[in-house]
Amino acid sequence: MSYLVEIWLAASLVALAAGAVGYVVVLRRAAFAAHALPMAAFPGAAASSLFGFSLPAGLAGFALGGAALLTLVQRSARRDSATGLLLAGFLALGALCLSLSGHYAGSVYGLLFGQVFALGPEDLPVLGLSGLCLPILLWLGLRPLVLSAMAPDLMRVQGGQPRLAELAFLALLALAAGFAVPVTGALLVFSLMLGPGATASRFCKRLETGLLFAMVIALGLVWVALGLTYMTNWPVGFFTGTGSALIYLLARLKTV
Amino acid sequence: MNAALEVSGLSVTQGGREVLRQIGFELPRGVFCGLIGANGAGKTTLLRAILGLLPSQGAIRVGGRIGYVPQKLQLEPDMPVRARDFVALGLDGHRFGLALPSRSRTQDVDAALHAAEAEGFANQRVGQLSGGQQQRVLIAYALVRSPDLLLLDEPLANLDIKAASEIVALLKRLCATRKVSVLLSAHDINLLPAMDRILYLADGKALCGTVQDVVRTEVLSRLYGYHIDVIRVHGRILVVAGGNGREHDHDPVHVSAIP
Ligand SMILES: Nc1ncnc2c1ncn2[C@@H]1O[C@H](COP(=O)(O)OP(=O)(O)O)[C@@H](O)[C@H]1O
Ligand SMILES: [Mg+2]
């Protein structure tokens, strides 16, 4: 497989997962959590290079740990400030790990803003697993994931467990965010999730079609961004970030 | 069990305070009961305790399934959920797995929408409906599993008089035709005459009876623990609660009117 095809495939898989999970983020109004969890993955990447374990393990491990912490924090009354503090803590931890690992500047830039061209063929299986499995899991869980955020009491009365749904959601979000970090960077994962998700939720009339539409938009966005990056040599995160905002602005023009 | 709901010796503590103290009442089948009380009297607490959403002491016996319309439900305009899909969540929205379209599912949803008179806007996004239409969709949601008891938490709070009386009329029809018992909470007692019974909540205590039974000077005074006047003028009922027996207190604590 040629190098460019590998990059293209990896980015596409990340886009599918990010688009799907971003849609649920929008429906659950969990944008802040979606911003914080990629930050939790960031020290994971740094620690993997420092201690020499695999990058996917570092990303997934730290993102899932972050999701667990976030679950604890969200029970507190001041969940906004608590989430914000957690986010700052993750960033600080990542900065420390990177600084200790000795290649600070370049890695910081890559992990925060994306270094898609640093991906190798060994990353593909893991990315493939997340790109295909996460959307399927989200599809299966779409209704409880939405109901538990919209009306937790109604869900409880019916015999469901909104807490469990919240935990499942944060875990899926953590995995999608963690694996997207190498491609778009921790700061810009967020953009790949929210733009397509918000657009799809405005345009679609049904939960399931919205999920598909968000994935398609995210995929298109990443393809265009990769093409532009190839032509201009500008960072891919720049194009996904601005593209995502642009798509959402256009969607806002349509009155729902 | 004959009654739709039997509550006895129910106490609920919220935030270190005993919000409900030794409450007891009984709701027969097919009866429309108004749960009345000032803001903070414990109406939401009582309904959530009946639903098992709050830890409580005492006995609560429910003779069948419960349908619930919660007090605060934000239905956002950009939710990609049609009214009929929302009602379908009431059937199996709490379960993981695919919602396979089936005839019985569709039939249940259609029947609930029909009973709540919400068919006309069933295919619109639920967040874009008017307040009165959203209440109908919420009632359809509560009806979709064919409940025997319907608990509604301040469903009339944000509606104008016309929309509110339409919802009350709809609920009254449900009581009559489906033998559903309805317990509807409200902080003001405007639509009381439509109800078969009143459950009056104040100071952690409850009193149950007909409008004529409950809304009387001596009954309410005993319930609140201080003097309350019930005044009938021009066919309307005014409830005026004054200070602790002080004759010249000009700050009414609670004034309610029944048309
Ligand atoms: N989660 C809670 N924690 C502490 N106090 C609560 C909580 N929920 C309700 N309360 C208190 O219980 C009382 C009854 O509240 P509520 O049942 O919501 O009243 P109502 O529905 O009649 O307006 C209020 O004084 C309120 O402050
Ligand atoms: Mg209330």
Side-chain angles (χ1 to χ4, degrees), chain B residues 104-117:
Chain B
S104 80
R105 254 174 75 82
T106 315
Q107 275 173 358
D108 287 349
V109 171
D110 282 341
L113 286 164
H114 176 74
E117 293 161 12

Side-chain angles (χ1 to χ4, degrees), chain A residues 41-46 55 59 98 106-115 181-182 184-187:
Chain A
F42 166 64
L55 179 66
L59 290 169
L98 274 182
S107 304
V108 166
Y109 185 79
L111 286 176
L112 288 182
F113 299 103
Q115 49 183 6
V181 162
T184 60
L187 286 176

Side-chain angles (χ1 to χ4, degrees), chain B residues 210-227:
Chain B
T210 63
V211 178
Q212 296 306 320
D213 284 342
V214 175
V215 188
R216 283 159 50 187
T217 295
E218 63 275 21
V219 177
L220 289 185
S221 298
R222 183 155 42 82
L223 190 69
Y224 276 92
Y226 45 72
H227 189 81

Side-chain angles (χ1 to χ4, degrees), chain A residues 23 27 29 139-141 143-144 147 150-151 153-158 160 201-202 204-207 256, chain B residues 48 53 68 73 76 78-80 82 86 89-90 92-99 123 125 128 141 145:
Chain A
Y23 174 66
L27 296 185
R29 325 244 151 224
W139 180 283
L140 291 175
R143 291 148 55 85
L147 184 61
M150 196 150 92
D153 273 356
L154 285 180
M155 186 167 178
R156 250 178 240 125
V157 167
Q158 284 166 231
S201 81
R202 277 180 93 79
C204 296
K205 243 183 162 183
R206 302 225 201 165
L207 282 177
V256 278
Chain B
R48 298 188 77 228
L53 295 172
Y68 178 43
L73 197 56
E76 314 270 353
D78 66 346
M79 267 288 169
R82 299 175 305 171
F86 180 71
L89 289 178
D92 52 15
H94 58 293
R95 267 190 241 124
F96 285 79
L98 277 187
N123 290 327
R125 276 176 176 244
Q128 286 168 351
Y141 188 112
R145 291 175 161 218

Side-chain angles (χ1 to χ4, degrees), chain B residues 48-66:
Chain B
R48 298 188 77 228
I50 294 171
L51 287 158
L53 295 172
L54 287 178
S56 61
Q57 289 179 323
I60 299 170
R61 295 181 56 199
V62 181
R65 238 198 272 266
I66 313 183

Side-chain angles (χ1 to χ4, degrees), chain B residues 14-17 19 37-46 48 54 71 153-154 185 187 201:
Chain B
Q14 286 269 44
R17 197 168 69 84
V19 176
N39 281 322
K43 303 181 292 295
T44 300
T45 303
L46 174 61
R48 298 188 77 228
L54 287 178
Q71 178 169 18
D153 202 350
E154 308 222 14
S185 85
H187 59 258
L201 221 52

